Amino acid sequence: MIGERVKHFRIQRGMTQQELADRAGTETSRICRVEKGGHENMQVGNLIRLAEALEVHPGELIAEYEPEPEAKGFFQRVFSLG
């Protein structure tokens, strides 16, 4: 599920796996494995870095999640999501 969401947001933003890897500070091979479902139990820090690189709330990578407006503003400030 996480991999599907990562791929969805990456494609939605017009990013390649290499661009996402660069923004998240990881390797392209890791992004490929994540998107293929190889990292469903990833560490929280890695999840947060992917979320920041994709400019989404970390919860959106776990499930279909839309934070409340006040929470979204908080996370935008904390994670600099724009």
Side-chain angles (χ1 to χ4, degrees):
M1 178 191 282
I2 293 173
E4 293 171 3
R5 308 276 306 149
V6 167
K7 186 174 183 177
H8 165 80
F9 287 117
R10 177 181 63 77
I11 290 171
Q12 185 181 58
R13 284 152 179 72
M15 297 170 67
T16 65
Q17 288 181 338
Q18 180 65 56
E19 291 168 330
L20 177 56
D22 291 344
R23 289 185 70 175
T26 190
E27 300 172 355
T28 305
S29 60
R30 179 168 289 180
I31 300 300
C32 184
R33 284 193 306 271
V34 166
E35 289 185 357
K36 289 182 178 182
H39 285 284
E40 291 300 313
N41 295 317
M42 73 173 60
Q43 295 178 355
V44 173
N46 293 333
L47 181 73
I48 290 171
R49 280 192 292 280
L50 281 176
E52 289 174 342
L54 291 165
E55 299 179 350
V56 298
H57 182 281
E60 292 179 271
L61 297 181
I62 297 169
E64 292 195 30
Y65 169 79
E66 181 62 34
E68 295 296 321
E70 59 275 1
K72 191 169 189 173
F74 169 77
F75 282 107
Q76 285 176 333
R77 289 189 304 277
V78 171
F79 296 114
S80 301
L81 300 178

